[in-house]
Amino acid sequence: MKAPLQSRQQIPRQRILERIRAATLDCAQDPAMREEAYAALPRAYTRHGQLSAEARLKLMIERLREYDAEVVETTPEALPDAIAAQLAASDKHSFLAPPGTPSEWMVTAAWKISGLEWTIDHGLATAEIEQSEGVVTAASCGIADSGTIVLHHSASEGRRVLSLLPDWHLIILRASQVVETLPEYFARFQQPSGLVTWISGPSATADIEMTRIKGVHGPRFLNVILVRDKS
Amino acid sequence: MNYSHAELDPRKALPFPKAVLPVLRNPQLRKNVAHAIDVIQTKRARLVAEKDDWQELRTAASAIRAHALENLGAYLEQFEERCTAAGGTVHWAADADEARRIILDLLRQEKASEVIKIKTMTSAEIQLNPFLEANGVSAFETDLAEIILQLGGEEPSHIVVPALHVNRSQVREIFARRMGLKNLSDDPKELTNAARTYLRQKFLAIPTAISGANFLIAETGSVAVVESEGNGRMCLTLPRTMITLAGIEKVLPRFQDLEVMLQLLARSATGERMNPYTSLWTGVTAGDGPQSFHVVLLDNERSSILAKAKQRQTLKCIRCAACMNACPVYRQTGGHAYGSVYPGPIGAILTPQLMQMKFAQSLPYASSLCGACYEVCPVKINIPDVLLELRAQVVNQERGRAARYFDPMYVGLRVANLLFAKAWLFHVAQRLGRIGLGLYTRKDGWIHSLPGIGAKWTQTRDLRGLPDESFHEWWAKRGSQPGKEGK
């Protein structure tokens, strides 16, 4: 099926690349020079933040709250209880978790709250995910400067659809994962995973008269537990 | 009911000065545009001011984009290789027609009669939706602004907030009529909820999606989409098949380059530190998202723009719309008068170039050359410079035409050319002009109305009458009365 389309594609491909080559005769570089030119590009912007660890976390929390996300802080020991408290306060009953979720998170939570339904995603159908009201995931990084949380969709962060369809998303972010600037994130993750989602607050729109409205298609509620795993 | 009757095909659009007239006579539309622009501008100014390294970020972004364009062939081939290795299929389209056909072929292979779409101006550029409709495929826009436009039969007037010319009560009217919601109020929250409900089933049911791309990453073969609502994430995650349409200029050399672009883009576009969602994906990922992924790389005259050293910078654009938000002309007119899906200052340079300077020649003149667009541009496109270059090309086109011998402007310029060449002729003309204009000068020293072609000036503003003596005359007199200036 695909072969004829592929071969038909060869003609425009060559034509376009030839046009581009002709257009950039004055400036295109050979691979070694291109590497060198790339390395020499001006990058005088701020790469490393100046804040203390404490101030960095404070900024992260402040930024998240500006986006209307709810943030609580806890210690590693008290994390399962903090999760349970968040679930109880959410007024939701059916929750999802990615397959890599630490079991103690759920055991404690389920034990504390009656009538709570946990489903672990071992290849759930979309309709099943759509039926769930909330989801709990880990994250890869927090960026304080813009209040951004980054998911790389590992086993503990879950497939993309998992943190998309439920209306309520609880993210467990460790303090050691929080950097101050966006360049610090890129320094930390030079080899990106194939899938990355940068989340800055709950889904929103400003398409009607530039009024920011929370919650269009993504989760309308973003909750974050910040775990103080090192000082 | 249409709030405006715009024609966004530059081949058919009226010249800017004519197209702008209905807008200037529509106070509601002008109020909507001005309100939205003022809100964005205030937010942007605040967030840019808090960034100490804003200028350094602009310098870096400009250099990265220029470098990517200078080596575009190599970076595109690298992107193609990595994307293909990750399970994607890359298609190349020389023009709009080829792109539309490739997309339709892919949809036919999928036996798709419906498709969901993430907002993409590139698809509007190639007029994809009407083409798909004509071929039996219904395209559903999923961005809130695009739904408003699609359901209301409207055209986009801005590249980031395309429905910025429509206010909440107009949105209420469109939604109530097209979604059958009689009791809908004009509370933006309620309107947004109506859109959420309307689209939820479409997201879950339609297995094919079309997106644009904010960035293509050569190093990894990844695509990045920047959005707010989550409709993008829905389209990128739920369908079986994903088709991404991207201009060839969208490529960035490396993943790390996003550290510059993402800091600039949201602040410039919507006045936020970061937009709610940015998604990056690489080919296909087993068990997560579409298992069939196609990228259509669109040239459509971009390689011609690339060939011209001065105009090449047009392609650095990352479509943030800061230039239109800052433009004093756009603020008065909104986007429709530009007769293109790309309005504002960037549209004024991009559109005529995409049309090989055969259409939209009035657009390079739709500017006061104040330079506000250049000042806010996150990738430092010198738009006024390109505008001047394009104006020169338009003048050159007109040189050979017989009509220019009768055009009042060219007649005037030729007369001026004669007069300015000889001092005595200039002085004679000055005296005659003083006598002539004196007839129309009122006691307050101003001319309030002129006949004939002069009326074009005086119907919108007054003209200062000529003074009783010229500088030359004053200077000559001064020479005979030394010391009078009080040395």
Side-chain angles (χ1 to χ4, degrees), chain B residues 2 61 63 80 125 138 143 194 228 246 254 258 269-270 272 278 292 315 317 320 328 345 372 398 439 446 448 484:
Chain B
N2 259 21
E80 180 188 39
E125 175 190 325
S138 307
D143 172 76
S228 294
R254 297 195 191 167
L258 289 173
T270 50
E272 295 170 296
T278 299
S292 165
L315 300 174
C317 179
C320 72
E398 286 174 355
L439 298 173
W446 287 87
H448 298 285
K484 217 195 166 187

Side-chain angles (χ1 to χ4, degrees), chain B residues 75-104:
Chain B
Y75 283 128
L76 280 173
E77 283 188 286
Q78 193 185 9
F79 170 81
E80 180 188 39
E81 182 206 319
R82 307 280 154 95
C83 176
T84 309
T89 308
V90 177
H91 309 259
W92 301 73
D95 54 29
D97 189 51
E98 279 184 21
R100 288 187 297 245
R101 276 167 206 287
I102 292 167
I103 292 171
L104 185 64

Side-chain angles (χ1 to χ4, degrees), chain A residues 13 38 45 66 203 212, chain B residues 80 229 257 259 272-273:
Chain A
R13 178 185 187 277
Y38 180 86
Y45 51 87
E66 281 172 27
S203 152
R212 186 168 165 132
Chain B
E80 180 188 39
E229 299 171 11
D257 296 328
E259 74 184 22
E272 295 170 296
R273 291 194 183 88

